[in-house]
Every structure is written in structure tokens, then in C-alpha cells.
């Protein structure tokens, strides 16, 4: 297990329970039953963890405004790992969210050397079209390019004053040979995540669905909000406490107490001189209300009074070669633009969790938990949980051989890709103009 999570690395993560313990990620299983309706990614444990999802649950339950924000580096074509994220965006839209999606062309330039013109071409022709084809509502979806949006660059410069170079090195592993442009990328990412509550937008809960490899960006963004606000909320054993970092602004804390009591919170331990209000016996919905109260009270005197961003973390699909799936390594992934026959060949060439011989497979069974082909079924090809369980049990018992399993997967994949490609072909310039912003 690596000492740090690397957003740009090639590590294949195996022990997600250990990630939860070592990096303070909260298990998603505790909250799934509170959702008004679920998605197979939740019920199958593919989305395994979160930070601050209680706030999103509160907004959903009260049917109040929230936004889903994520981004894609246009360093290569859209693959099935990206498809997972688009599906999650569509799911949150179905629960009332607006969607804002960044094409991270500055990150692709700084971290991958991708020219901005190439990033623009890939972003428009692949990512925007794929998003709409995969179910996003154009009327509630906004794409933008990092290089075109001044707000995120302004935020990045401001946040650069809140963090030290040594801290960035500790989080991301930057070295003396790392370019300054690459060092700036996480701060631009924080600008992406947080600007949807700033200037042209109003403060609102924000959910960022990402693979676990992006957790450093989430932690940094949440920390930057804490450092930029005067009022903050943090949990303790019996509830949450509101703290005031600037004792000269005690009037803000007095307003918080007044509004909390108006909301019906009576079990409070208030210490204005020390800048603390403890709120006892709160649940997820309460955390949303308290975040909303302090943000609304502080915002008139602080433009950076924002909701801390929430995040969900999904397991990373294994590449077909067994390594990490990557846009820059075509052999590792199924791309939405792959020719059908080429995509099927990739399935047939994929490594599996099977035994060396058919005889051993029948005798000892396979291991679906390390099999990229089984993951295709679990993540993308099979909607019905009972059917997926049947496939899994047949593999474990040795009743399913890898050749047969790959043929079935290839047939399902062909049908899925044809459907997606047909929908992508129907997206014209008018739709693209509706969803892409250039400011």
C-alpha cells in the first residue's frame, strides 16, 4: 500500500478497508439506506466511501438545491472508467442536482504536456458527447474549460496563500524536479470544486463523485474551506460544534446561536467568549442545516464562506491488463470510440481471475474479485443483482470457464457500445452549444 494516494500514479488499489482507516474516509454502507433510491454502484459496494455525504443527504431530503461537480482530464479518449462517473452525475441529477463538469485542459497541459488545442478537441468531441449520450440532462448540465474560466484561476491564486510548499509536497509527493505548473494543478482543482459556490453562483452543497485516487484533491479543498472561513463545523462524539476562529467577530456566533434556536435546536452548550457552540444529538440532516446556517450568516462579510465539498469514492476498475486503467494506455481500457470488433478483442485478450487450465478451474474455481472481465459485468454489463450473483457463484464453483465468460461479456459489450455510439452520433452542434460555456 502506498504511503500516499497519487492522483497521477499507476497504483492499483486493493485494500479499500485500509484506505478508509488510514485516510479517514467514511464508509458509504452506513448511509445507503437513507437515499430515496439507490444505484447499483451503491448496492454493490462499488461506491465504498465518502466525505461529508450527510450534508448532501440533508439537501436531498429537504429537496433543496445542490450541485454535482466533477472533471475530466482530456489526456485521451473516454473509457469505461469515465462512464462510471457520468452515470453517477446522471443519478444525482435525477435527485435534483445541477451538474457542472470541468474539462481539465490546464491539468492535461501541466501534468501530461497536452496542448490546449488538443484538449479542446477531445473535450468537445468525446467528453461532452459521451455525457449527453450516457443520460445527462442538457438543460441542467454545464461544461467549461479550465483555461477559459477566470474564476478558478483567481481562486487558485487566493488558495496559494493558504498552503505551504512543504504541505503540498507531503500530500502529493512533489519533488525539486516537479514543475511549478504541476504544483499549481491541485490549487486549480480546488478552484474547480469550490467556484461553483462563488461569484456567479451562490453557496450550496456540492457533491464530487470520484475514484479514490482523487482523494488528495478533496482533502485539500475541504481544508482550504476551513482555512478561509471564520465559522467552521466539526464533529465530536455527542454531536457537532461550531467554532469561531476570529474572536473579534463574536457577533457572528451570537447570530448562529439565535438562528439555531429558531430552527428548534435547544440542546446547546454556548460559550461565546471562547468561540464555541456545541450542538448535541444531531443527525445527517442536522449537519446540512447547521452548515447552511453558518454559511449564510458568514457570507455577507466573507466571499469565501462556502460549504465544504462532499465526495463519494468509487473503486477503480482494473485495467484489462491487470494494471490501472488509463486513457493513455489503450490496451488497458474499453473506449466508447473503440470499433466494436476491437473492443471485443480487448475482452478476449484480457487477463482473468481464472486458473491456468480448464481442469483446475473446474476443480478449484476462479477468483472474480481479481478479474477485470467480472468487473465489466459488475460495473457496466449486468443491471440485475441476481444475475450478477449467478455469474459470480458459477465462477467460484468452477462451473464457468473464462472463454465462455468472455464470449458472454463481449456480446453484452457489443450491444452496449452500439447503443452509446448511436446516441453520440445524434448529438449535434446545437446541443453542444447549449451545454458548453466559454467563460
Amino acid at each position: 500500500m502506498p504511503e500516499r494516494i497519487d492522483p497521477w500514479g499507476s497504483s492499483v488499489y486493493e485494500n479499500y478497508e485500509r484506505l478508509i482507516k488510514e485516510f479517514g474516509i467514511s464508509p458509504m454502507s452506513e448511509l445507503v439506506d437513507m437515499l430515496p433510491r439507490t444505484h447499483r454502484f451503491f448496492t454493490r459496494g462499488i461506491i465504498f466511501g465518502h466525505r461529508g455525504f450527510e450534508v448532501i443527504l440533508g439537501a436531498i431530503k429537504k429537496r433543496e438545491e445542490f450541485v454535482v461537480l466533477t472533471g475530466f482530464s482530456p489526456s485521451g479518449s473516454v473509457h469505461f472508467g469515465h462512464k462510471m462517473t457520468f452515470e453517477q452525475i446522471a443519478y444525482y441529477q435525477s435527485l435534483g442536482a445541477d451538474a457542472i463538469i470541468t474539462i481539465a485542459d490546464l491539468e492535461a497541459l501541466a501534468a501530461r504536456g497536452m496542448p490546449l488545442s488538443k484538449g479542446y478537441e477531445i473535450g468537445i468531441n468525446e467528453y461532452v458527447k459521451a455525457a449527453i449520450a450516457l443520460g445527462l440532462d442538457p438543460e441542467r448540465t454545464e461544461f467549461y474549460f479550465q483555461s477559459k474560466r477566470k474564476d478558478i484561476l483567481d481562486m487558485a491564486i487566493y488558495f496559494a496563500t493558504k498552503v505551504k510548499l512543504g504541505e503540498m509536497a507531503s500530500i502529493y509527493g512533489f519533488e525539486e524536479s516537479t514543475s511549478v505548473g504541476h504544483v499549481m494543478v491541485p490549487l486549480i482543482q480546488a478552484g474547480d470544486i469550490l467556484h461553483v459556490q462563488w461569484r456567479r453562483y451562490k453557496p450550496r452543497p456540492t457533491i464530487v463523485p470520484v475514484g479514490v485516487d482523487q482523494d488528495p484533491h478533496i482533502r485539500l479543498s475541504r481544508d482550504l474551506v476551513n482555512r478561509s472561513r471564520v465559522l467552521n463545523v466539526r464533529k465530536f462524539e455527542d454531536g457537532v460544534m461550531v467554532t469561531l476562529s476570529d474572536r473579534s467577530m463574536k457577533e457572528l456566533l451570537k447570530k448562529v446561536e439565535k438562528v439555531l434556536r429558531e430552527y428548534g435546536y435547544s440542546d446547546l452548550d454556548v460559550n461565546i467568549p471562547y468561540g464555541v457552540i456545541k450542538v448535541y444529538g444531531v443527525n445527517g440532516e442536522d449537519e446540512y442545516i447547521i452548515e447552511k446556517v453558518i454559511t449564510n450568516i458568514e457570507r455577507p462579510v466573507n466571499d469565501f464562506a462556502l460549504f465544504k465539498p462532499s465526495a463519494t469514492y468509487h473503486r477503480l476498475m482494473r485495467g484489462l491488463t491487470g494494471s490501472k486503467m488509463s486513457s493513455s494506455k489503450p490496451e488497458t481500457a474499453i473506449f466508447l470510440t473503440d470499433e466494436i470488433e476491437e473492443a471485443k478483442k480487448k475482452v478476449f485478450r484480457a487477463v482473468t481471475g481464472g486458473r491456468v487450465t480448464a481442469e483446475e478451474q473446474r476443480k478449484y474455481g476462479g477468483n472474480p474479485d481479481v478479474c477485470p472481465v467480472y468487473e465489466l459485468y459488475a460495473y457496466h454489463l449486468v443491471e440485475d443483482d441476481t444475475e450478477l450473483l449467478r455469474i459470480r457463484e458459477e465462477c467460484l464453483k468452477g462451473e464457468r470457464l473464462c472463454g465462455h465468460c468472455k464470449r458472454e461479456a463481449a456480446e453484452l459489450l457489443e450491444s452496449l457500445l452500439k447503443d452509446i455510439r448511436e446516441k453520440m452520433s445524434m448529438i449535434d452542434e446545437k446541443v453542444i452549444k447549449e451545454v458548453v460555456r466559454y467563460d
Side-chain angles (χ1 to χ4, degrees):
M1 182 65 61
E3 294 180 0
R4 63 177 62 88
I5 298 175
D6 183 359
W8 304 284
S10 58
S11 298
V12 177
Y13 299 100
E14 301 282 358
N15 191 337
Y16 288 93
E17 291 298 322
R18 185 173 175 184
L19 288 178
I20 284 174
K21 292 177 181 177
E22 291 191 0
F23 292 94
I25 296 170
S26 299
M28 194 70 212
S29 58
E30 299 173 356
L31 302 180
V32 171
D33 290 342
M34 300 181 191
L35 288 163
R37 58 181 176 278
T38 58
H39 185 282
R40 67 182 185 281
F41 292 162
F42 290 104
T43 58
R44 295 176 185 178
I46 293 169
I47 296 175
F48 72 93
H50 73 93
R51 291 191 190 276
F53 194 73
E54 296 91 347
V55 172
I56 302 300
L57 277 174
I60 292 171
K61 185 173 182 180
K62 286 189 163 295
R63 298 185 178 180
E64 296 188 358
E65 184 179 2
F66 72 106
V67 62
V68 54
L69 179 287
T70 196
F72 300 92
S73 176
S75 57
S77 295
V78 181
H79 57 59
F80 270 39
H82 301 126
K83 175 180 174 291
M84 289 175 60
T85 304
F86 283 130
E87 283 196 58
Q88 291 174 68
I89 298 169
Y91 166 76
Y92 288 117
Q93 280 190 324
S94 76
L95 297 178
D98 293 323
I100 301 179
I101 303 166
T102 177
I103 302 298
D105 56 343
L106 290 181
E107 178 185 0
L109 171 65
R112 308 287 187 186
M114 173 73 72
L116 292 178
S117 58
K118 185 65 174 178
Y120 176 83
E121 177 186 338
I122 294 174
I124 292 292
N125 293 328
E126 297 205 28
Y127 287 84
V128 174
K129 289 185 177 180
I132 305 305
L134 290 168
L136 272 67
D137 179 357
E139 294 185 358
R140 303 182 66 184
T141 301
E142 174 186 324
F143 275 88
Y144 71 92
F145 289 83
Q146 285 177 331
S147 61
K148 305 292 185 183
R149 184 151 289 189
K150 184 176 182 296
D151 285 359
I152 65 168
L153 300 179
D154 289 350
M155 268 195 153
I157 295 300
Y158 170 78
F159 290 144
T161 69
K162 298 291 184 179
V163 63
K164 305 298 183 184
L165 185 59
E167 185 179 2
M168 296 292 282
S170 177
I171 296 171
Y172 292 99
F174 293 145
E175 301 173 346
E176 289 186 4
S177 60
T178 304
S179 73
V180 175
H182 196 168
V183 174
M184 279 298 296
V185 165
L187 297 171
I188 294 172
Q189 293 263 15
D192 284 320
I193 292 169
L194 297 173
H195 90 283
V196 298
Q197 304 183 57
W198 199 50
R199 285 183 177 166
R200 71 185 75 194
Y201 307 105
K202 60 184 178 181
R204 52 188 169 168
T206 304
I207 180 66
V208 188
V210 290
V212 70
D213 58 339
Q214 301 301 302
D215 180 53
H217 298 320
I218 304 300
R219 282 186 280 130
L220 177 64
S221 297
R222 288 172 64 85
D223 284 348
L224 287 169
V225 171
N226 284 339
R227 297 173 195 187
S228 301
R229 294 197 312 198
V230 175
L231 294 166
N232 273 298
V233 178
R234 69 173 185 266
K235 295 181 181 180
F236 69 102
E237 186 175 354
D238 299 317
V240 300
M241 69 173 66
V242 180
T243 61
L244 179 71
S245 60
D246 185 345
R247 301 293 172 82
S248 69
M249 303 181 75
K250 292 177 182 177
E251 289 303 314
L252 292 181
L253 202 59
K254 293 178 182 178
K255 289 180 182 179
V256 171
E257 179 189 3
K258 178 176 181 294
V259 175
L260 288 178
R261 293 193 186 280
E262 289 172 355
Y263 268 99
Y265 295 101
S266 57
D267 195 0
L268 305 178
D269 181 1
V270 181
N271 192 325
I272 300 297
Y274 283 88
V276 176
I277 298 175
K278 291 183 177 180
V279 189
Y280 292 92
V282 301
N283 57 34
E285 183 180 342
D286 296 315
E287 290 183 40
Y288 163 62
I289 292 171
I290 294 167
E291 280 277 355
K292 183 173 71 169
V293 166
I294 70 163
T295 302
N296 289 343
I297 287 174
E298 184 178 344
R299 185 58 176 261
V301 297
N302 179 9
D303 286 342
F304 290 92
L306 312 169
F307 281 87
K308 282 185 291 188
S310 304
T312 56
Y313 300 106
H314 58 254
R315 297 171 184 266
L316 300 177
M317 282 190 70
R318 298 170 194 274
L320 298 173
T321 58
S323 61
K324 186 179 180 181
M325 188 177 293
S326 172
S327 291
S328 60
K329 297 179 181 179
E331 70 278 8
T332 66
I334 303 293
F335 296 93
L336 302 191
T337 54
D338 277 343
E339 294 298 328
I340 299 297
E341 290 306 313
E342 175 59 25
K344 292 167 71 174
K345 286 179 182 178
K346 287 183 178 181
V347 173
F348 288 125
R349 290 195 293 261
V351 300
T352 71
R355 303 289 177 174
V356 176
T357 67
E359 181 181 357
E360 289 183 359
Q361 179 84 355
R362 292 188 179 97
K363 185 175 181 180
Y364 300 111
N367 184 359
D369 294 329
V370 298
C371 180
V373 177
Y374 176 75
E375 286 191 352
L376 276 176
Y377 283 110
Y379 288 57
H380 299 287
L381 300 180
V382 176
E383 288 283 346
D384 183 76
D385 288 345
T386 302
E387 173 66 9
L388 182 66
L389 181 60
R390 180 186 68 81
I391 293 170
R392 178 181 178 81
E393 290 298 316
E394 286 179 357
C395 176
L396 289 169
K397 294 176 181 177
E399 298 170 356
R400 172 175 285 257
L401 300 183
C402 294
H404 168 71
C405 192
K406 287 181 174 181
R407 282 192 296 273
E408 277 194 357
E411 291 173 4
L412 292 170
L413 178 64
E414 179 176 3
S415 176
L416 179 59
L417 280 176
K418 283 181 177 178
D419 179 62
I420 294 172
R421 296 280 285 278
E422 181 180 355
K423 290 176 179 176
M424 288 180 70
S425 69
M426 296 171 64
I427 298 168
D428 56 21
E429 288 298 320
K430 180 181 178 182
V431 175
I432 291 173
K433 287 181 180 179
E434 287 177 2
V435 300
V436 179
R437 306 287 184 269
Y438 294 98
D439 62 349

